[in-house]
């Protein structure tokens, strides 16, 4: 599942046509004439299946058409192209995310739940991890996700900009950890070796060439981490340790209010 970070991004298509599709405005999803063989929702679902299985490089309008059993040209009657399709896919995934009931929960519990739900989303849809969304698809899924996640910071005395910044901070952390996990899995798949097997081969040579007196911290800390994780990195440890620090940082901001 090779991705090419930066090649694809959200909101790269025509904004008006994309918004019409996202909100299923009349004239985009429905056509007059012969009975339609599929729907916009079916096209989006097929595209997500392809991306989940084989990554964005495998996602083409022709591949979607094959998945649906229609001609490539027929697919364009539902979605103008891949740029608009990507926004529809992102929004559909966002719409399917769980919206936990936060009643009676502390802000730490709420933020932790948001982080966990986003991590699970990236695990289920790895292609989303590398798809820039600095111009987010402003569809019903994205709006519902944003509104729900902002509620974790509501009534804490934060300004609107601080609430937006706090959420961006949390989601940025989750995305970075998700990349570590995905990259680790891909490295193992590409090399045919687990992290532990790789270290078994590299370790003896490293012990001979690494001067512990010259690099005392790297030697000591690196050895401790390697022994604990059987790898250079542990995505689960990075997530647990990092989330605690994220929450502590937000606690300082919130306590000031």
């Amino acid at each position: 599942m090779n991705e090419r970070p930066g090649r694809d991004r959200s909101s790269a298509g025509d904004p008006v046509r994309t918004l019409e599709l996202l909100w299923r405005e009349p004239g985009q999803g429905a056509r007059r004439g012969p009975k339609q063989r599929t729907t916009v929702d079916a096209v989006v679902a097929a595209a997500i299946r392809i991306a989940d299985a084989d990554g964005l490089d495998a996602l083409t309008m022709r591949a979607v058409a094959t998945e649906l059993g229609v001609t490539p040209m027929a697919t364009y009657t539902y979605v103008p192209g891949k740029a608009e399709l990507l926004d529809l896919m992102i929004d559909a995934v966002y719409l399917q995310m769980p919206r936990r009931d936060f009643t009676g929960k502390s802000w730490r519990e709420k933020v932790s739940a948001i982080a966990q739900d986003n991590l699970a989303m990236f695990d289920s849809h790895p292609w989303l991890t590398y798809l820039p969304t600095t111009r987010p698809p402003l569809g019903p899924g994205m709006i519902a996700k944003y509104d729900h996640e902002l509620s974790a910071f509501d009534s804490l005395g934060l300004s609107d900009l601080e609430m937006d910044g706090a959420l961006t901070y949390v989601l940025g952390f989750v995305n970075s950890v998700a990349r570590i996990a995905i990259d680790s899995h891909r490295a193992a798949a590409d090399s045919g070796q687990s992290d532990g097997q790789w270290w078994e081969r590299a370790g003896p040579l490293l012990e001979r060439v690494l001067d512990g007196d010259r690099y005392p911290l790297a030697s000591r800390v690196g050895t401790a981490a390697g022994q604990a994780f059987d790898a250079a990195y542990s995505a689960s440890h990075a997530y647990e340790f990092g989330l605690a620090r994220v929450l502590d940082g937000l606690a300082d901001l919130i306590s000031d209010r």
Side-chain angles (χ1 to χ4, degrees):
M1 292 190 296
N2 295 322
E3 308 290 358
R4 298 179 185 176
R7 193 187 69 167
D8 294 306
R9 64 174 177 83
S10 64
S11 298
D14 178 83
V16 174
R17 296 179 76 185
T18 301
L19 283 171
E20 288 175 340
L21 281 165
L22 285 167
W23 292 94
R24 304 299 194 268
E25 282 291 292
Q28 286 295 332
R31 305 280 182 176
R32 293 181 178 179
K35 181 180 179 180
Q36 300 297 296
R37 295 187 59 187
T38 188
T39 64
V40 172
D41 289 341
V43 170
V44 174
I48 291 174
R49 289 195 297 272
I50 293 169
D52 287 349
D54 300 313
L56 292 182
D57 280 349
L59 179 63
T60 64
M61 299 300 283
R62 180 177 293 277
V64 173
T66 300
E67 176 79 8
L68 293 172
V70 299
T71 65
M73 287 306 298
T75 310
Y76 288 100
T77 66
Y78 300 94
V79 180
K82 185 176 179 180
E84 292 82 4
L85 180 57
L86 286 173
D87 282 349
L88 290 166
M89 293 165 62
I90 296 169
D91 201 68
V93 171
Y94 286 170
L95 194 62
Q96 295 163 7
M97 288 183 69
R99 309 278 187 257
R100 302 197 196 195
D101 183 3
F102 287 156
T103 304
K105 302 294 185 180
S106 69
W107 71 264
R108 281 179 176 267
E109 291 173 316
K110 296 175 185 178
V111 174
S112 296
I114 288 170
Q116 185 60 50
D117 289 343
N118 277 272
L119 190 65
M121 175 190 70
F122 288 130
D123 183 60
S124 298
H125 309 285
W127 51 273
L128 256 176
T129 312
Y130 294 94
L131 190 59
T133 55
T134 49
R135 287 184 178 178
L138 300 176
M142 183 270 162
I143 298 299
K145 179 179 186 291
Y146 185 53
D147 189 80
H148 172 72
E149 293 174 346
L150 283 174
S151 70
F153 302 98
D154 196 22
S155 303
L156 296 177
L158 301 180
S159 70
D160 288 350
L161 288 180
E162 287 173 332
M163 289 171 60
D164 179 81
L167 179 57
T168 300
Y169 176 46
V170 172
L171 298 184
F173 159 72
V174 175
N175 181 272
S176 67
V177 173
R179 290 190 179 202
I180 294 175
I182 293 170
D183 289 343
S184 296
H185 292 155
R186 287 177 179 165
D190 292 343
S191 66
Q193 295 177 322
S194 67
D195 285 342
Q197 291 170 329
W198 186 89
W199 278 104
E200 283 181 6
R201 295 200 61 190
L205 176 60
L206 188 60
E207 289 179 1
R208 293 200 303 270
V209 300
L210 182 60
D211 186 344
D213 293 331
R214 186 176 183 182
Y215 307 108
L217 290 177
S219 299
R220 190 187 78 221
V221 176
T223 298
Q227 291 175 345
F229 309 135
D230 198 26
Y233 299 99
S234 167
S236 61
H237 178 265
Y239 175 76
E240 293 169 4
F241 182 88
L243 180 60
R245 305 293 79 75
V246 168
L247 294 173
D248 289 345
L250 290 174
D252 288 339
L253 174 66
I254 293 169
S255 64
D256 288 341
R257 300 295 181 270

